[in-house]
Amino acid sequence: MLKTLAVVEFPQPPASVNRVCLAQRRLCGRPLIEWVIRRVSESQQIDSVLALVGESQEGRQAICQIPPDVPVFVGEQGDVLSDLTAALNDFPATNFVRVNVDNPFIDPILIDRLIATADRHPGCDYIGFQSGDGRPTVFSQVGIFAEWYRTEALQWAHQEATAKEERDNVTRFFMSHPERFQIRLIPVPDELANQEDMRLTIGVDQDWEHVEEIFEAIGPDELDWQRIANLLAAQPGLRRTMASLNRTAIV
């Protein structure tokens, strides 16, 4: 059994209804899903990477773009929690890290920080990052951060969660049961604390335009969170646009 598996998830309906067509996007000549998988693979603490895709037409299209050395699990259960549990049954791991393919700036250094925190706190069921206002970053649109789960805790959630919204939003289910799950949130670096005007996930076409602007400005080889934060700090107009999208865009 692996110690830590990274699961790169391709959005499934209805989540993908309001997103741009992710299967058609390319960065530096690579399909987006391949780019994200390779970013995650740069983590020093990940033992293996698994791609989890849905049965949608776009998900099936994405399968052809996944590197041949990366295993693929097709979720057929109808909700995120069931698909994750089934994937971990086929690819057993003690712990796993979740990453969504709509986060092209996922930072492998911050993934390693999650896993190192888990090693220091072996009783945790869930570890994530916390923004300056105290909210888990997964509920923001920053798009740099991953999440860490203990697989045994996920299996318990699979048995206990009943409502559709609980099964499709696994993190919220964990957060709503502090009596059952041991949760630890890591404060984000100060440069990333104010997330109202930071948006690096891909939900609408304008997000993709911003991704391309950042790639052009920094280049593909130096996309760590510090350089991205420094770039955005020098672009107040772009930050205002991102803030507006965070208030109005449906993802």
Side-chain angles (χ1 to χ4, degrees):
M1 178 183 290
L2 299 175
K3 179 184 176 184
T4 306
L5 175 70
V7 180
V8 177
E9 299 177 43
F10 198 93
Q12 303 180 59
S16 62
V17 170
N18 295 312
R19 284 181 164 89
V20 296
C21 186
L22 297 176
Q24 297 178 3
R25 304 291 174 171
R26 302 180 73 86
L27 287 173
C28 301
R30 295 181 178 179
L32 176 62
I33 191 168
E34 179 185 349
W35 170 266
V36 174
I37 287 170
R38 293 310 185 201
R39 287 282 289 176
V40 172
S41 299
E42 293 176 13
S43 165
Q44 300 298 305
Q45 304 297 323
I46 291 293
D47 296 312
S48 186
V49 181
L50 171 70
L52 172 58
V53 303
E55 286 194 293
S56 67
Q57 180 178 355
E58 190 178 6
R60 293 286 182 176
Q61 182 180 351
I63 292 176
C64 302
Q65 302 171 341
I66 295 169
D69 60 326
V70 176
V72 179
F73 184 88
V74 179
E76 301 175 343
Q77 306 301 314
D79 64 78
V80 175
L81 183 51
S82 295
D83 286 343
L84 273 173
T85 304
L88 269 295
N89 286 338
D90 276 15
F91 298 89
T94 305
N95 315 300
F96 68 99
V97 171
R98 290 181 72 191
V99 176
N100 200 299
V101 74
D102 60 9
N103 294 338
F105 298 114
I106 191 72
D107 195 302
I109 294 175
L110 296 179
I111 292 177
D112 286 341
R113 190 176 299 179
L114 283 176
I115 300 170
T117 301
D119 289 340
R120 293 194 301 271
H121 302 277
C124 287
D125 297 309
Y126 173 92
I127 302 174
F129 285 91
Q130 177 178 275
S131 61
D133 62 5
R135 293 186 306 153
T137 56
V138 69
F139 299 143
S140 74
Q141 302 303 322
V142 177
I144 293 177
F145 307 100
E147 304 173 275
W148 178 97
Y149 289 82
R150 189 165 60 89
T151 301
E152 187 176 315
L154 180 85
Q155 293 167 340
W156 184 90
H158 175 59
Q159 294 172 357
E160 298 297 324
T162 56
K164 174 67 173 174
E165 57 269 21
E166 294 176 336
R167 303 192 66 80
D168 279 338
N169 197 321
V170 183
T171 307
R172 287 195 186 278
F173 181 75
F174 272 63
M175 294 293 174
S176 65
H177 290 281
E179 79 289 351
R180 175 59 180 83
F181 300 113
Q182 185 170 335
I183 294 170
R184 179 170 291 271
L185 296 178
I186 307 169
V188 300
D190 291 342
E191 298 91 330
L192 303 175
N194 179 17
Q195 299 176 0
E196 292 183 359
D197 59 353
M198 187 174 293
R199 182 185 175 94
L200 297 169
T201 192
I202 303 171
V204 295
D205 283 318
Q206 196 166 2
D207 293 330
W208 183 254
E209 295 172 7
H210 295 160
V211 167
E212 293 182 318
E213 288 179 26
I214 293 170
F215 264 78
E216 183 176 349
I218 299 178
D221 299 324
E222 298 183 339
L223 282 171
D224 57 68
W225 69 263
Q226 294 98 329
R227 288 184 174 87
I228 294 171
N230 290 339
L231 174 67
L232 293 180
Q235 299 288 335
L238 179 56
R239 294 283 288 259
R240 285 193 295 270
T241 301
M242 288 181 173
S244 177
L245 286 173
N246 280 338
R247 292 191 298 269
T248 61
I250 299 174
V251 178

